[in-house]
Amino acid sequence: GLDAVCVGETMALLVPDPAGTDGRRSFQLEIGGAESNVAIHLARTGLRVAWYSALGDDDLGRHVRGRVAAEGVDCRVRTDPDRPTGLYLKEFDGTGRTRVRYYRRGSAALALGAADAARVRAEAPRLVHTTGITPALSEGCRALVDALFTEAAPGTLRSFDVNYRPALHGPDEARVLRETARRADVVFCGLDEAESLWGAATLDDVRELLEGPDLLVVKQGAEGATAFRGGRSWFAPAPEVEVVEPVGAGDAFAAGVLHGLLTGADVAASLAEGARLAGTALGVRGDIPPRPS
Ligand code: KDG
């Protein structure tokens, strides 16, 4: 059987090369999607992983599918003849910050719905993972996440990364993300996200707000991360690496922790594995580092 199914949209990603002197721009065509990022990292560790989504019947969709499949992830992907594959672009303004632009309105993944949860459930995976991006995409995607977590097969671990994206999330999101998190067994949340969404300023605030999950992992940026389970807590420092571009590092971190949990490691070792994998993603401009050789 499958160790994990990751559910959510993946887009083609354009990463700009440094600007040339003649006014021309060039871009690397990569892929980006929080859930397929997690799936790829998990597959690289040798686990059996599927990615569940939808793509357009277009070149960008074939590119996305090809790249995910090349990583050894099973693609359970519907091809939608009527909708395009989404696209996202990273813009670097020289200040070290990344600005993210989305071209995803009406994309194929937005037509996913509650019926897809039954297909995921039929796989009886050990773990199902999604993020807060998914319920923000469409009514159907919100219903899908609801059904994924309320109708998961008994024994399936439900993993949720809050992944707050101000560019995507509307006014209702504080409530939706909190309710979803409280239904999950494993939750990843940034302290900065918790502050923006719920005004939670401290680790204890987050813990109180997100009561419910068996394992809660709060990310504290450059400091590290703290995990809570059954009244105990563990801390792991952030990796000491040079940060080239941060988008995608949270997914690598989640994958490291989940890999630990799925292979029977204890919480401390799982956190350390998350920090190590996050370090590999912080060093590249794309979402995921090249496959280690
Ligand atoms: O976590 C990284 C994601 O933010 C990135 O891959 C793009 O899925 C994405 C999104 O919707 O922002």
Side-chain angles (χ1 to χ4, degrees), residues 34 100 102 104 131-133 136 161-170 173 177 193 247-248 251:
V100 171
Y102 296 122
R104 70 199 308 181
T131 78
I133 291 170
D161 187 333
V162 170
N163 252 359
Y164 176 50
R165 296 287 179 276
L168 281 182
H169 285 117
E173 245 51 50
L177 295 177
E193 295 177 318
V247 180
D251 305 325

Side-chain angles (χ1 to χ4, degrees), residues 37-144:
N37 290 346
V38 171
I40 288 169
H41 285 290
L42 285 175
R44 286 178 178 181
T45 70
L47 293 176
R48 272 209 66 194
V49 185
W51 165 59
Y52 192 98
S53 194
L55 292 165
D57 184 10
D58 46 25
D59 278 355
L60 294 182
R62 283 180 279 280
H63 168 73
V64 168
R65 181 197 275 266
R67 286 287 292 272
V68 177
E71 295 282 351
V73 175
D74 279 0
C75 293
R76 308 287 156 90
V77 175
R78 264 213 311 273
T79 304
D80 189 326
D82 302 317
R83 289 163 168 265
T85 299
L87 176 68
Y88 101 105
L89 175 63
K90 289 183 178 179
E91 291 181 348
F92 307 116
D93 62 5
T95 65
R97 261 194 313 248
T98 309
R99 174 145 192 187
V100 171
R101 302 261 185 206
Y102 296 122
Y103 304 87
R104 70 199 308 181
R105 215 168 289 157
S107 70
L110 275 55
L112 292 170
D116 293 289
R119 298 191 188 101
V120 173
R121 183 189 154 106
E123 305 276 355
R126 293 172 61 205
L127 178 136
V128 54
H129 175 80
T130 192
T131 78
I133 291 170
T134 308
L137 295 178
S138 65
E139 284 302 316
C141 286
R142 180 171 296 191
L144 165 59

Side-chain angles (χ1 to χ4, degrees), residues 190-201 206:
L191 192 52
D192 52 347
E193 295 177 318
E195 172 130 49
S196 311
L197 281 165
W198 307 302
V206 184

